[in-house]
Amino acid sequence: MSDYQTLNNDHFNATADKYDNIPSAAELTAKGSQTILREFRASTSDENVKNATVLDFGCGTGLSAHIVAKEVKYLVGLDASEGMLKQFNEKVNTNPEHADIKSKVQTIEHLVTNESPLPEPERTQFSEGFDLVYSSYVMHHIDDVDGVVKAIANNLVKEKTGWFIVLDFSGSHGHGHAHAHGHGHGHGHAHAHGHGHGHGHAHAHAHGHSHGHSHGGSNCKNKEQAQGEQEKKGDDEQNLEIPAFVAHDGFSRARLEEVFRNAGLVDVSSDIAFKVDNHVHVWKEAILVKGRRP
């Protein structure tokens, strides 16, 4: 497990119960989720969206999944943070607002690799792949973006008709960010609601996502160094600095398009998803890239 993955797991397990209270979390996630749904619909049809089986890569507490699931047939939330998935499942099982999606969502705790894209029995259950795989503010937490995108594109996106959509921030800005999205990835358990089921074991690459902490830089620090530096600072000062668990300070559209094409995806395109309110976030823009598996 990489330093970034370890730091993501530690941070988001520790903060999972506070995640949904971050002021910008709901706002940015809602905008991102509607943008992803709009782009998926534009790439296929209303009927295909309604009948789609979808994977939310880096689902966290389910802020995005709970929006997207209402529009599709079935949704799998995948993350490596046990704490984040616990919050996801608790909300689905206890919150009356989510009663309409309880039977069509499940979660999987897992790290995606080319060798182990999903644990069993989910790998067999979803052997044909997903109509849509998406990530919402996740990729900047992943060290090996190229490797993870390739693993997803080649193993989890349905051939011919499946789409992969990534929403993230444009960068690099070289300074702290008042926003975070992160979750790590651990070994594989699955939690089901409705007909989903299963348990498995795996380990692999990383990712994460959350909203409301600081973010930034690409210089990897070992776990002990990063934790030692953070412990020396108060909460206010930490929020002004780049946290050690962020691997990339955003992306250019050209960079993400290159990653998608190198992974073998076709019909690749990108756009500015929306401008980010400076009062909410230091980053200026959210960008979206999408591609289809041939």
Side-chain angles (χ1 to χ4, degrees), residues 6-286:
T6 301
L7 290 168
N8 268 275
N9 283 356
D10 290 348
H11 176 80
F12 290 103
N13 280 330
T15 60
D17 61 340
K18 306 176 185 69
Y19 178 83
D20 288 3
N21 295 325
I22 297 169
S24 60
E27 179 181 345
L28 286 173
T29 301
K31 281 186 176 181
S33 302
Q34 293 303 328
T35 300
I36 290 166
L37 283 167
R38 183 184 69 239
E39 290 298 325
F40 181 41
R41 186 170 281 109
S43 303
T44 178
S45 68
D46 289 342
E47 188 67 18
N48 287 342
V49 171
K50 185 172 68 174
N51 292 312
T53 300
V54 174
L55 176 69
D56 180 347
F57 175 71
C59 63
T61 64
L63 284 176
S64 178
H66 297 154
I67 294 172
V68 175
K70 294 177 183 295
E71 306 294 327
V72 302
K73 182 178 180 179
Y74 198 75
L75 184 141
V76 176
L78 185 147
D79 207 293
S81 168
E82 180 181 3
M84 299 296 267
L85 292 180
K86 180 181 178 181
Q87 295 297 316
F88 183 123
N89 293 319
E90 184 175 321
K91 288 190 293 185
V92 170
N93 286 319
T94 63
N95 192 331
E97 292 181 6
H98 302 313
D100 58 337
I101 64 169
K102 185 175 180 180
S103 64
K104 60 176 184 176
V105 298
Q106 75 180 79
T107 60
I108 302 173
E109 183 187 341
H110 187 68
L111 286 171
V112 172
T113 61
N114 193 56
E115 296 73 25
S116 179
L118 289 178
E120 291 292 355
E122 290 79 23
R123 187 170 184 176
T124 299
Q125 180 185 357
F126 300 104
S127 60
E128 294 184 1
F130 295 88
D131 300 291
L132 170 67
V133 178
Y134 76 89
S135 71
S136 177
Y137 313 114
V138 170
M139 287 296 167
H140 63 274
H141 286 274
I142 298 177
D143 189 13
D144 182 15
V145 171
D146 294 81
V148 169
V149 168
K150 185 172 291 186
I152 292 172
N154 292 338
N155 296 286
L156 298 178
V157 181
K158 184 178 291 186
E159 291 185 9
K160 307 297 184 185
T161 60
W163 287 86
F164 188 12
I165 296 178
V166 166
L167 181 79
D168 216 299
F169 294 108
S170 61
S172 168
H173 297 291
H175 52 262
H177 306 291
H179 172 103
H181 355 251
H183 347 195
H185 295 58
H187 51 281
H189 296 56
H191 306 275
H193 310 275
H195 60 274
H197 60 278
H199 288 66
H201 301 281
H203 35 277
H205 281 83
H207 92 257
H209 100 241
S210 125
H211 315 217
H213 313 285
S214 51
H215 272 58
S218 58
N219 294 326
C220 183
K221 303 173 183 177
N222 64 44
K223 180 180 178 183
E224 292 76 14
Q225 178 186 356
Q227 288 179 335
E229 291 178 2
Q230 294 287 15
E231 287 170 359
K232 293 177 183 178
K233 302 176 175 67
D235 290 341
D236 291 341
E237 187 177 358
Q238 286 185 33
N239 287 339
L240 297 175
E241 296 197 1
I242 293 169
F245 53 81
V246 175
H248 306 276
D249 186 14
F251 301 93
S252 70
R253 290 166 56 189
R255 168 64 177 139
L256 287 180
E257 286 188 17
E258 177 187 41
V259 171
F260 269 46
R261 293 191 177 98
N262 288 344
L265 296 169
V266 298
D267 299 333
V268 175
S269 64
S270 67
D271 203 351
I272 298 172
F274 50 84
K275 300 289 185 179
V276 176
D277 188 338
N278 287 340
H279 294 293
V280 175
H281 203 294
V282 176
W283 271 309
K284 308 289 190 219
E285 297 173 343

